[in-house]
Amino acid sequence: MPLAAVVALTLSPLITTIAPAAAGETDGAVELRCKIVPAPNDRGYKLWKVEIRKSSGEPIRQAVAATGDTVGFKSLEPGIYIFCLMGEKGRQRCQSIDLVPEPNQKSHRFVKRFEAPPLGVNQKDAHKVSARKLAVPGKARKEMLRAEEAQLKGDREEALRHLERAIEIYPAYADALNNLGTYYHRSGDYERSVQYFTNATKLDPEFFPGWVNLGGSLLALGKLDSALDANKRALELRPNDSLANSQVGINYFYLRNYAEAKRFLQKVLSLDPYSANSPQLFLAHIAFAEKEHDAAQQYILSYLELHPNSPQAPHLRRTLQNLVSGASSTSQNTPNPDR
């Protein structure tokens, strides 16, 4: 199961990707202009750290903006991205966005609106700062910051050197252990990434990024029962996190527990319908397996409505034509979401 993973910075968990972004599929670059709108009942001046990440979770651009501002990111390769706002008191919200223009379109500006995260509804650990985090020496924190700067510049090896220095200074640095784990996961060394994530969660049992990342690495290794334990622990910490729900749903899918898989994947549709994990295609597979072809058709239509220019779109449209014409269809007719 080729789940992809990238460095998760202090505030952001590793993201697993099943349907890759379509970067490179379209010539030219695209631009995103996103207006930050207030959450319901939100009042006053709010300042946000804005981050755009690849669909695999790797942060590539950052900015600072206030509610009401429009943030712009130019020269992006076409693909699915993750747009995140992070603010005070643990307020954070991430949402996937499809920035794939029509075929042969050389450039395009996407204009979006993004609602700021409400206070304290997404995570149980929002206001908790562990004693271990407060104990991190300043020198180790500086190495983490340098690692994050190197990551944004695309220099993974330099980021690795700073992370290793941070651990040398303070071996109990859960955030640095977590980021080292994501480095090795991205390198395909899942056994090693599991070691780092496990150490991070032992140091801080309420460290959400470590748990969700551990679940992703164990999924990649095919250790489905252990992965489910880790993914469910992450979900306990943040019940409305789209990644945690997605990984639990995918975990159940591979365990062939389709009833539970549907429950969590359908929740992902409400939390993050543009998710690069393609919950619609997993649900379509389940519907085909259960001989519910009408439901499968609706999931495919939903996917195409959100991702009309996806590389999988032509094959999906042919599948729909077969369904409409009454041709025999099975789950093999739907592109595997595990790609």
Coordinates of all heavy atoms in Angstrom, one line a residue, residues 244-276:
A244 N -7.2 12.0 10.2 CA -7.4 10.9 11.2 C -8.6 10.0 10.7 O -8.6 8.8 10.7 CB -7.6 11.4 12.6
N245 N -9.7 10.7 10.4 CA -10.9 9.9 9.9 C -10.6 9.2 8.6 O -11.0 8.0 8.4 CB -12.0 10.9 9.7 CG -12.8 11.2 10.9 OD1 -13.7 10.5 11.4 ND2 -12.4 12.3 11.6
S246 N -9.8 9.8 7.7 CA -9.4 9.2 6.5 C -8.6 7.9 6.7 O -8.9 6.8 6.1 CB -8.7 10.1 5.6 OG -8.3 9.5 4.3
Q247 N -7.6 8.0 7.6 CA -6.7 6.8 7.8 C -7.5 5.7 8.5 O -7.2 4.5 8.2 CB -5.5 7.3 8.6 CG -4.5 8.1 7.8 CD -3.1 8.2 8.4 OE1 -2.2 8.7 7.8 NE2 -2.9 7.7 9.6
V248 N -8.4 6.1 9.4 CA -9.2 5.0 10.1 C -10.1 4.3 9.0 O -10.2 3.1 9.0 CB -10.0 5.6 11.2 CG1 -11.0 4.5 11.7 CG2 -9.1 6.0 12.4
G249 N -10.7 5.1 8.2 CA -11.5 4.5 7.1 C -10.8 3.7 6.2 O -11.2 2.6 5.8
I250 N -9.6 4.1 5.7 CA -8.8 3.3 4.8 C -8.3 2.1 5.5 O -8.2 1.0 4.9 CB -7.6 4.2 4.3 CG1 -8.1 5.3 3.4 CG2 -6.5 3.3 3.6 CD1 -7.0 6.4 3.2
N251 N -7.9 2.2 6.8 CA -7.5 1.0 7.6 C -8.6 -0.1 7.6 O -8.3 -1.2 7.3 CB -7.2 1.5 9.0 CG -6.1 0.7 9.7 OD1 -5.4 1.2 10.5 ND2 -6.0 -0.6 9.4
Y252 N -9.8 0.4 7.9 CA -10.9 -0.6 7.9 C -11.2 -1.2 6.4 O -11.6 -2.3 6.3 CB -12.2 0.1 8.4 CG -12.3 0.1 9.9 CD1 -12.5 1.3 10.6 CD2 -12.3 -1.1 10.6 CE1 -12.6 1.3 12.0 CE2 -12.4 -1.1 12.0 CZ -12.5 0.1 12.7 OH -12.6 0.1 14.0
F253 N -11.0 -0.3 5.4 CA -11.1 -0.8 4.0 C -10.2 -2.0 3.8 O -10.6 -3.0 3.2 CB -10.8 0.3 3.1 CG -10.9 0.0 1.6 CD1 -12.0 0.0 0.9 CD2 -9.7 -0.4 1.0 CE1 -12.1 -0.4 -0.5 CE2 -9.7 -0.8 -0.4 CZ -10.9 -0.7 -1.1
Y254 N -8.9 -1.9 4.2 CA -8.0 -2.9 3.9 C -8.2 -4.1 4.8 O -7.8 -5.3 4.5 CB -6.6 -2.4 4.1 CG -6.1 -1.5 3.0 CD1 -5.7 -0.2 3.2 CD2 -6.1 -2.0 1.7 CE1 -5.3 0.6 2.2 CE2 -5.7 -1.2 0.6 CZ -5.3 0.1 0.9 OH -5.0 0.9 -0.2
L255 N -8.9 -3.9 6.0 CA -9.3 -5.0 6.8 C -10.6 -5.7 6.4 O -11.1 -6.6 7.0 CB -9.4 -4.5 8.3 CG -8.1 -4.2 9.0 CD1 -8.4 -3.4 10.3 CD2 -7.4 -5.5 9.3
R256 N -11.2 -5.1 5.3 CA -12.4 -5.6 4.7 C -13.6 -5.5 5.6 O -14.6 -6.1 5.5 CB -12.3 -7.1 4.3 CG -11.2 -7.4 3.2 CD -11.5 -6.7 1.9 NE -10.6 -7.1 0.8 CZ -9.5 -6.4 0.5 NH1 -9.2 -5.3 1.1 NH2 -8.8 -6.8 -0.5
N257 N -13.5 -4.5 6.5 CA -14.6 -4.2 7.4 C -15.3 -3.0 6.7 O -15.1 -1.8 7.1 CB -14.1 -3.8 8.8 CG -15.3 -3.6 9.7 OD1 -16.4 -3.2 9.3 ND2 -15.0 -3.7 11.0
Y258 N -16.1 -3.3 5.7 CA -16.6 -2.2 4.9 C -17.6 -1.3 5.6 O -17.8 -0.1 5.3 CB -17.3 -2.8 3.6 CG -16.3 -3.4 2.6 CD1 -16.6 -4.4 1.8 CD2 -15.0 -2.9 2.6 CE1 -15.7 -5.0 0.9 CE2 -14.0 -3.5 1.7 CZ -14.4 -4.5 0.9 OH -13.5 -5.0 0.0
A259 N -18.4 -1.9 6.5 CA -19.3 -1.1 7.3 C -18.7 0.1 8.0 O -19.1 1.2 7.9 CB -20.1 -1.9 8.2
E260 N -17.6 -0.3 8.7 CA -16.8 0.8 9.4 C -16.1 1.7 8.5 O -16.0 2.9 8.7 CB -15.8 0.1 10.4 CG -16.5 -0.5 11.6 CD -17.2 0.6 12.5 OE1 -16.5 1.4 13.2 OE2 -18.5 0.7 12.4
A261 N -15.5 1.1 7.4 CA -14.8 2.0 6.4 C -15.8 3.0 5.9 O -15.4 4.2 5.7 CB -14.3 1.1 5.3
K262 N -17.0 2.6 5.5 CA -18.0 3.6 5.0 C -18.3 4.7 6.0 O -18.4 5.9 5.6 CB -19.2 2.9 4.6 CG -19.1 2.1 3.3 CD -20.5 1.7 2.8 CE -21.1 0.6 3.7 NZ -22.4 0.1 3.1
R263 N -18.4 4.3 7.2 CA -18.7 5.3 8.3 C -17.7 6.5 8.3 O -18.1 7.6 8.4 CB -18.9 4.6 9.6 CG -19.3 5.6 10.7 CD -19.9 4.8 11.9 NE -18.8 4.0 12.6 CZ -18.2 4.5 13.7 NH1 -18.5 5.7 14.1 NH2 -17.3 3.8 14.3
F264 N -16.4 6.1 8.3 CA -15.4 7.1 8.5 C -15.1 7.8 7.1 O -14.8 9.0 7.1 CB -14.1 6.5 9.0 CG -14.3 6.1 10.5 CD1 -14.5 4.7 10.8 CD2 -14.2 7.0 11.5 CE1 -14.7 4.4 12.1 CE2 -14.4 6.6 12.8 CZ -14.6 5.3 13.1
L265 N -15.1 7.1 6.0 CA -14.9 7.7 4.7 C -16.0 8.7 4.4 O -15.8 9.8 3.8 CB -14.7 6.7 3.7 CG -13.5 5.8 3.8 CD1 -13.5 4.6 2.8 CD2 -12.2 6.7 3.5
Q266 N -17.2 8.4 4.8 CA -18.3 9.3 4.5 C -18.2 10.6 5.4 O -18.5 11.7 5.0 CB -19.7 8.7 4.8 CG -20.1 7.7 3.7 CD -21.2 6.8 4.1 OE1 -21.6 6.7 5.3 NE2 -21.8 6.1 3.1
K267 N -17.6 10.4 6.6 CA -17.3 11.6 7.4 C -16.3 12.5 6.7 O -16.3 13.7 6.8 CB -16.9 11.2 8.8 CG -16.8 12.4 9.7 CD -16.5 12.0 11.2 CE -16.4 13.2 12.1 NZ -16.3 12.9 13.5
V268 N -15.3 11.9 6.1 CA -14.2 12.6 5.4 C -14.9 13.5 4.3 O -14.5 14.6 4.0 CB -13.2 11.7 4.8 CG1 -12.1 12.5 4.0 CG2 -12.5 10.9 5.9
L269 N -15.9 12.9 3.6 CA -16.6 13.7 2.6 C -17.2 15.0 3.1 O -17.2 16.0 2.4 CB -17.7 12.9 2.0 CG -17.3 11.6 1.2 CD1 -18.5 11.0 0.6 CD2 -16.3 12.0 0.1
S270 N -17.6 15.0 4.4 CA -18.2 16.2 4.9 C -17.1 17.1 5.5 O -17.2 18.4 5.5 CB -19.1 15.9 6.1 OG -18.5 15.2 7.1
L271 N -15.9 16.6 5.9 CA -14.9 17.3 6.5 C -13.9 17.9 5.4 O -13.5 19.1 5.5 CB -14.0 16.5 7.4 CG -14.7 16.0 8.7 CD1 -13.8 15.0 9.4 CD2 -15.0 17.2 9.6
D272 N -13.6 17.1 4.4 CA -12.7 17.6 3.4 C -13.0 16.8 2.0 O -12.3 15.9 1.6 CB -11.2 17.2 3.8 CG -10.2 17.8 2.9 OD1 -10.5 18.7 2.1 OD2 -9.0 17.4 3.1
P273 N -14.0 17.3 1.3 CA -14.5 16.5 0.1 C -13.4 16.5 -1.0 O -13.4 15.6 -1.8 CB -15.7 17.3 -0.3 CG -15.6 18.6 0.3 CD -14.9 18.4 1.6
Y274 N -12.5 17.5 -1.0 CA -11.5 17.5 -2.1 C -10.3 16.6 -1.7 O -9.3 16.6 -2.5 CB -11.0 18.9 -2.3 CG -12.0 19.8 -3.1 CD1 -13.0 20.5 -2.4 CD2 -12.0 19.9 -4.5 CE1 -13.9 21.3 -3.1 CE2 -12.9 20.7 -5.1 CZ -13.9 21.4 -4.4 OH -14.8 22.1 -5.1
S275 N -10.3 15.9 -0.6 CA -9.2 15.2 -0.1 C -8.5 14.4 -1.2 O -9.1 13.7 -2.0 CB -9.6 14.2 1.0 OG -8.6 13.3 1.3
A276 N -7.1 14.5 -1.3 CA -6.4 13.7 -2.2 C -6.4 12.2 -1.9 O -5.9 11.4 -2.7 CB -4.9 14.2 -2.3

